[in-house]
């Protein structure tokens, strides 16, 4: 088995271990938030008889490791539990919310690819005043929290100018796109600045590399030098940070969803946590962690396929 294959298997094993540890951490952390009796009572005053029945029905008196084992076994078999508040299967709540969050993340990522990677390439290639301007803009973008950008977007483009809706996710493709525009821009600003910085730094490092100077001396066309010797060598780092960015968008989307009244995963998690709906909190949290580690692993593996020499270099060290 070659070094790349061993590295791939090792990282897949690390991914599974991370998910198992995350499930333990999420289950334990949620249990520490308090007794779910009030949520399970459905607004009724929890009498001693009702409390006893709820504890018996939901096995709340079982040892924590037994409850964790039952929960994890259920998840692995597709049983994600039942919402305490909505009295329905958790997956029935999660599936439509996930679709909205996924659409928001995809639109945000499109903005980041166009403007984040694009501005990083422009700053690295043009240099001078363009580079300095991009550095100032990205510094400003990284300093603005998402909720501040969301408030500014609502105030300027929704309330003052009236160009965009301020609430809800809309219906139909174009209406949904119109409703998601401001949330996506609000979510993209911080990540856009980060991706732009990393892209610029990676490309500048490659442009200053010795093999690029050699290619210039040999008279290779500038476009070919950039495509083959610069961007291709910088691609693994850009791809890795893009994978981390997409994963981070799923977690950060809650801010934009709450600000713009979107019924996505983030807003569901906030509502479930506020109402002590533990099964929903557990599954949504586990899903977000799974998305984060899987996307990072996929980006890492693609980087290895693009540049296997990096693995070989680590193997010799």
């Amino acid at each position: 088995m070659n070094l790349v294959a061993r590295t791939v298997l090792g990282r897949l094993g690390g991914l599974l271990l991370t998910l198992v540890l995350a499930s333990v951490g999420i289950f334990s952390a949620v249990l520490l938030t308090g007794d779910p009796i009030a949520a399970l009572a459905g607004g009724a005053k929890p009498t001693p008889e009702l409390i006893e029945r709820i504890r018996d029905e939901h096995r709340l008196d079982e040892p924590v490791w037994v409850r964790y084992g039952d929960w994890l076994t259920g998840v692995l078999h597709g049983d994600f539990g039942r919402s305490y508040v909505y009295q329905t299967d958790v997956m029935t709540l999660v599936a439509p919310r996930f679709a909205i969050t996924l659409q928001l993340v995809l639109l945000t990522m499109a903005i980041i690819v166009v403007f984040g990677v694009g501005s990083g390439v422009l700053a690295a290639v043009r240099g001078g005043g363009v580079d300095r301007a991009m550095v100032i803009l990205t510094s400003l973008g990284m300093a603005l929290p998402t909720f501040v950008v969301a408030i500014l977007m609502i105030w300027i483009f929704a309330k003052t100018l009236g160009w965009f809706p301020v609430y809800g996710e809309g219906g139909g493709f174009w209406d949904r796109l119109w409703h998601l525009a401001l949330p996506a821009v609000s979510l993209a600003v911080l990540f856009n600045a980060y991706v732009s910085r990393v892209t610029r730094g990676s490309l500048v490092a490659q442009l200053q590399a010795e093999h690029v100077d050699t290619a210039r001396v040999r008279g290779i066309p500038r476009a070919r030098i950039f495509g083959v010797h610069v961007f291709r060598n910088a691609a693994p780092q850009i791809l890795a940070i893009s994978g981390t960015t997409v994963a981070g968008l799923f977690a950060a989307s809650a801010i934009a969803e709450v600000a713009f009244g979107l019924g996505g995963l983030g807003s569901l998690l906030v509502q479930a946590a506020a109402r002590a709906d533990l099964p929903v909190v557990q599954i949504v949290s586990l899903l977000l962690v799974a998305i984060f580690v899987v996307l990072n692993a996929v980006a890492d593996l693609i980087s290895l396929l693009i540049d296997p020499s990096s693995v070989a270099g680590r193997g010799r060290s």
Side-chain angles (χ1 to χ4, degrees), residues 181-272:
L182 288 186
V185 171
S186 302
L187 194 55
V189 169
L190 175 62
F191 292 93
N192 189 81
Y194 187 44
V195 170
S196 178
R197 281 288 186 92
V198 172
T199 301
R200 173 194 172 277
S202 301
L203 292 176
V204 168
Q206 291 299 324
L207 285 169
Q208 296 173 349
E210 184 177 344
H211 67 275
V212 173
D213 291 334
T214 302
R216 292 195 187 101
V217 172
R218 291 173 57 190
I220 297 176
R222 185 175 179 181
R224 180 173 174 80
I225 291 175
F226 184 81
V228 176
H229 298 280
V230 177
F231 194 82
R232 183 176 179 180
N233 289 334
Q237 187 173 359
I238 296 173
L239 182 61
I241 198 61
S242 297
T244 304
T245 298
V246 176
L249 287 174
F250 278 94
S253 63
I255 302 172
E257 289 174 6
V258 172
F260 290 91
L262 300 178
L265 275 184
S267 59
L268 176 62
L269 179 60
V270 172
Q271 294 166 8

Side-chain angles (χ1 to χ4, degrees), residues 31-32 75 119 126 136 263 282 309 317:
L31 290 183
L32 294 175
V75 170
S119 62
R126 296 295 297 273
I136 293 173
Q282 289 170 336
S309 61
S317 61

Side-chain angles (χ1 to χ4, degrees), residues 5-18:
R6 289 200 302 270
T7 302
V8 170
L9 289 177
R11 296 193 180 186
L12 289 177
L15 184 151
L16 292 175
L17 179 60
T18 300

Side-chain angles (χ1 to χ4, degrees), residues 99-100 103 107 168-181:
I100 294 172
Q103 292 165 7
L107 180 57
E169 57 270 3
F173 177 78
W174 293 111
D175 191 42
R176 174 66 57 83
L177 191 65
W178 202 242
H179 277 76
L180 293 180

